[in-house]
């Protein structure tokens, strides 16, 4: 089950036009063949449930302006968690470390937007639940410290869901 798609379907059913920030590798494969042939199959399905896909591979600043405008009008922006980004931080996770990009935390702070983590879990009957976590924020003035604390809070929430639903 692809949780990214499940959460987009859930938000669509709630009547939300989610604008998803995407990368060329978004989809099924990171290979050249996958990006050109397989990933468009995935993104075609995904587009049914989105207000728009906003790609930043050629113009990140332009993409961020589009997303900032969506947020300023009370819209919803989706950014997949990962370690791809110019800046990342490592935080404790279970018995190891989790490295995540700080872009979503930075953008939420600079846009004055709520940053809400989502967790998609499969129920025993095979259906899915999309859970919205506690807002991620920090009182830190320093941007680096702010992002570090937000990622730590995300990792703490993720750890609880992971331990409850390891599958």
């Amino acid at each position: 089950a692809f949780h990214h798609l499940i959460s987009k379907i859930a938000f669509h059913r709630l009547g939300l036009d989610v604008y998803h920030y995407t990368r060329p590798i978004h989809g099924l494969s990171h290979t050249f063949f996958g990006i050109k042939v397989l990933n468009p199959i995935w993104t075609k399905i995904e587009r049914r449930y989105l207000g728009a896909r906003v790609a930043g591979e050629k113009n990140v600043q332009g993409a961020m302006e589009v997303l900032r405008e969506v947020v300023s009008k009370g819209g919803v922006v989706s950014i997949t968690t990962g370690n791809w980004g110019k800046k990342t931080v490592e935080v404790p996770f279970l018995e190891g470390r989790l490295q995540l990009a700080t872009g979503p935390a930075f953008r939420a702070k600079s846009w004055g937007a709520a940053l809400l983590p989502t967790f998609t879990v499969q129920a025993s009957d095979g259906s899915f639940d999309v859970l919205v976590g506690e807002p991620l924020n920090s009182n830190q003035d320093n941007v680096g410290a702010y992002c570090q604390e937000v990622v730590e809070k995300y990792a703490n929430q993720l750890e609880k869901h992971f331990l409850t639903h390891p599958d």
Side-chain angles (χ1 to χ4, degrees), residues 46-115:
E46 186 181 69
R47 275 195 306 270
R48 297 177 198 165
Y49 305 103
L50 293 174
R53 290 174 49 85
V54 179
E57 66 267 14
K58 294 183 181 171
N59 183 358
V60 174
Q61 188 59 36
M64 291 301 114
E65 284 302 313
V66 168
L67 297 176
R68 185 191 59 73
E69 183 68 20
V70 168
V71 167
S72 74
K73 293 179 178 177
V76 178
V77 171
S78 164
I79 302 174
T80 303
T81 307
N83 62 355
W84 342 265
K86 289 182 183 176
K87 295 183 182 179
T88 62
V89 295
E90 278 194 2
V91 297
F93 184 76
L94 299 173
E95 299 297 321
R97 307 281 295 163
L98 178 65
Q99 180 184 32
L100 293 176
T102 60
F106 172 77
R107 294 296 173 185
K109 179 176 174 56
S110 64
W111 296 341
L115 185 59

Side-chain angles (χ1 to χ4, degrees), residues 27-39:
L28 303 170
S29 174
H30 293 202
T31 67
F32 178 78
F33 174 78
I35 290 169
K36 295 295 181 192
V37 178
L38 300 175
N39 292 356

